[in-house]
């Protein structure tokens, strides 16, 4: 996979995504009903039999901001929904480079607003995502806080990009150890989404933003990932963060169902979500200065 990603472009990344989606997403459930239109993007409900309708996992998929694997992410989200007893809401945010930053950021905040406007209480929502989607989940927390919206009960970010400047030590330390990416391939893919000279913007690098007043957050990451220190440094800066580092696991290993560690991590995430779905609504925060 490192060799495949070494010189991949947008079209190549999307072809790889399509192949992975067919292979890893064969057991994915179908969405519950037609897509929901939210402004410029769409989202799909994922329902698992026997789960309550007043708990929602708002999920942002990974894919380097440029591609998506809907079957893989429907399968993964269904695992979380069954274990945490909640409905899933999978957002198909607009992809770069056709839709440049901040289109994806705007879509994800719009999806959160949609759930609130639909009458779902904020303390019954958990925001989650993996890789690029983990970045968007953490950015959405800051955006919602700054807009004065009631914040979700918690967040879960799997192998999240938190620093688009890629200044973490693990970008060098794990170069050659990460099973999927090299430092060069990450930089090549990032240029399709990150505008030149703006990598430190908080909506691209949530690590560098204001981390005050955010809800409890679980960070899942593999020890061999280039992005390891993205999670480690975020946990060191923010309060209420649980950091869960998995030995020698690859990027977004949770989605690789053939790994025993995937099932264990899914169970752990589900327990975390179940414990944090709130019974009372938190206080509304004023917009940050």
């Amino acid at each position: 996979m490192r060799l495949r990603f070494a010189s991949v472009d947008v079209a190549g990344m999307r072809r790889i995504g399509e192949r992975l989606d067919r292979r890893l997403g064969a057991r994915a459930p179908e969405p519950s009903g037609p897509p929901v239109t939210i402004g410029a993007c769409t989202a799909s409900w994922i329902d698992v039999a026997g789960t309550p309708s007043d708990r929602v996992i708002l999920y942002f998929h990974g894919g380097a901001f440029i591609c998506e694997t809907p079957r893989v992410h429907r399968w993964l989200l269904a695992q979380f929904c069954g274990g945490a007893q909640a409905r899933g809401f999978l957002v198909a945010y607009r992809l770069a480079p056709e839709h440049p930053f901040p289109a994806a950021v705007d879509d994800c905040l719009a999806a959160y607003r949609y759930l609130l406007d639909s009458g779902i209480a904020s303390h019954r929502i958990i925001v989650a995502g993996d890789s690029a989607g983990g970045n968007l989940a953490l950015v959405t927390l800051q955006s919602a806080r700054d807009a004065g919206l009631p914040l979700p009960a918690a967040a879960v970010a799997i192998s999240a990009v938190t620093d688009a400047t890629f200044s973490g030590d693990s970008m060098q330390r794990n170069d050659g150890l990460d099973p999927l990416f090299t430092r060069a391939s990450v930089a090549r893919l990032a240029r399709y989404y990150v505008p030149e000279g703006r990598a430190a913007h908080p909506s691209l690098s949530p690590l560098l933003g204001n981390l005050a007043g955010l809800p409890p957050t679980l960070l899942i990451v593999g020890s061999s990932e280039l992005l390891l220190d993205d999670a480690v440094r975020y946990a060191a800066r923010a309060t209420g963060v649980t950091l869960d580092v998995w030995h020698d696991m690859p990027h977004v290993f949770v989605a690789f169902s053939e790994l025993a560690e995937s099932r264990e991590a899914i169970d752990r995430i589900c327990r975390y979500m179940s414990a944090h779905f709130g019974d009372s609504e938190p206080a509304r925060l004023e917009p940050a200065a």
Side-chain angles (χ1 to χ4, degrees):
M1 291 302 292
R2 270 203 306 265
L3 290 175
R4 282 190 182 183
F5 287 134
S7 59
V8 73
D9 58 8
V10 173
M13 187 73 174
R14 289 174 179 172
R15 286 193 297 270
I16 291 172
E18 288 172 2
R19 289 196 293 270
L20 287 174
D21 204 37
R22 289 193 298 269
R23 184 171 72 85
L24 299 179
R27 294 178 293 150
E30 292 300 316
S32 302
V36 177
T37 299
I38 306 170
C41 73
T42 62
S44 299
W45 285 106
I46 304 298
D47 287 303
V48 175
T51 57
S53 60
D54 65 339
R55 289 179 167 188
V56 176
I57 302 168
L58 173 60
Y59 201 89
F60 306 132
H61 67 79
F65 303 100
I66 62 175
C67 69
E68 56 187 339
T69 51
R71 295 181 187 88
V72 169
H73 285 97
R74 288 202 307 269
W75 175 84
L76 182 60
L77 182 52
Q79 307 310 301
F80 297 150
C81 291
Q85 291 291 286
R87 303 185 75 192
F89 199 57
L90 179 62
V91 180
Y93 54 84
R94 288 172 289 173
L95 300 176
E98 293 88 350
H99 303 282
F101 169 84
V105 172
D106 293 341
D107 291 348
C108 292
L109 182 60
Y112 182 61
R113 286 185 183 272
Y114 173 86
L115 293 179
L116 296 177
D117 292 343
S118 298
I120 300 169
S122 63
H123 61 285
R124 294 292 190 176
I125 300 171
I126 287 178
V127 178
D130 62 273
S131 192
N135 170 285
L136 291 168
L138 299 176
V139 167
T140 297
L141 298 183
Q142 296 183 26
S143 299
R145 178 205 57 204
D146 294 348
L149 298 175
L151 296 179
V156 175
I158 303 164
S159 299
V161 180
T162 73
D163 177 13
T165 72
F166 303 121
S167 61
D169 289 345
S170 59
M171 291 297 296
Q172 293 183 340
R173 189 175 67 249
N174 284 348
D175 197 12
L177 297 177
D178 189 311
L180 300 183
F181 300 104
T182 64
R183 188 180 183 187
S185 64
V186 167
R188 184 179 298 108
L189 292 171
R191 70 185 182 189
Y192 296 114
Y193 178 71
V194 180
E196 187 174 356
R198 300 190 65 191
H201 191 286
S203 290
L204 291 161
S205 297
L207 171 69
L208 307 180
N210 177 8
L211 303 184
L214 299 178
T217 300
L218 172 63
L219 301 180
I220 300 279
V221 69
S223 66
S224 62
E225 290 195 55
L226 292 174
L227 297 176
L228 170 62
D229 285 350
D230 279 46
V232 171
R233 290 179 297 152
Y234 190 97
R237 280 203 61 209
T239 58
V241 173
T242 300
L243 175 63
D244 199 358
V245 179
W246 289 70
H247 177 65
D248 208 25
M249 285 293 102
H251 188 65
V252 196
F253 72 93
V254 180
F256 292 87
S257 60
E258 62 267 31
L259 295 175
E261 291 88 349
S262 168
R263 183 69 259 169
E264 185 181 347
I266 287 171
D267 289 344
R268 196 173 300 186
I269 290 167
C270 290
R271 290 196 299 271
Y272 183 89
M273 288 180 171
S274 295
H276 284 84
F277 273 119
D279 295 321
S280 60
E281 189 165 6
R284 187 185 184 94
L285 295 179
E286 294 300 320

